Structures are given as C-alpha cells and as structure tokens.
C-alpha cells in the first residue's frame, strides 16, 4: 500500500516476550514516521496481527491509530489499486 512502512509486531516485544517500554516504542514508531504522519493506520495480511501494533502505539502514546480491517488481503484483491514493492520505491 503506497506510503506504508513495515512495523512487524514482534519488534514491539522485549527479549522475554513482554511489551517494550513506552520510550522504546515511541522511538521505534518515530523512526517509522508516526510523528509526521497525518494519520497512523495499521494493517497486516488479514487484520489480526496489526492489532498488536495498535496496542503498542497506544502504549507509546500514539493515540487514535486506526486499523484497516481488510488489510493487504482486501487491498491486493482489487486490481488497479497502487502497490509499492519496497524495492526502489516504485509502484507496481
């Protein structure tokens, strides 16, 4: 999805499987552009694991992030919608 950034949910956790401290999560999401984004919307393959990012965003103080429930499954099923590969910044 154009403009998307990859925020794999396991990176929200510490080595022992607990949710990381808010400061660490703020740094992570800031580096992904959450501070400058007009809106923050999480999605994944089907909409389930994106909820982990929503929890981590709230824990980090980024309130109001949204879920795109259709996620990539819905977006990718519609021919003609723009898609970026992440390789070279171009659209497919």
């Amino acid at each position: 999805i154009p403009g998307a950034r990859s925020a794999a949910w396991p990176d929200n956790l510490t080595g022992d499987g607990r949710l990381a401290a808010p400061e660490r999560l703020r740094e992570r999401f800031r580096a992904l552009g959450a501070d400058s984004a007009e809106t923050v919307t999480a999605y994944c393959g089907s909409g389930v694991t994106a909820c982990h990012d929503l929890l981590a965003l709230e824990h980090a103080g980024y309130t109001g992030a949204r879920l795109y429930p259709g996620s990539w499954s819905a977006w990718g099923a519609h021919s003609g919608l723009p898609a970026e590969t992440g390789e070279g910044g171009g659209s497919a």
Side-chain angles (χ1 to χ4, degrees):
I1 297 174
R5 303 289 184 270
S6 179
W9 69 268
D11 293 340
N12 298 326
L13 305 175
T14 62
D16 65 356
R18 295 175 188 252
L19 195 59
E23 300 79 27
R24 182 173 151 231
L25 292 169
R26 268 194 299 279
E27 182 179 313
R28 174 177 192 247
F29 291 119
R30 185 180 309 115
L32 291 167
D35 281 0
S36 61
E38 186 176 318
T39 60
V40 175
T41 304
Y43 75 95
C44 57
S46 63
V48 177
T49 58
C51 291
H52 198 287
D53 276 335
L54 292 176
L55 173 67
L57 283 157
E58 285 287 328
H59 189 57
Y62 290 98
T63 60
R66 305 179 299 183
L67 173 68
Y68 171 39
S71 287
W72 176 250
S73 297
W75 186 273
H78 296 285
S79 63
L81 289 177
E84 292 182 4
T85 64
E87 298 173 11
S91 294

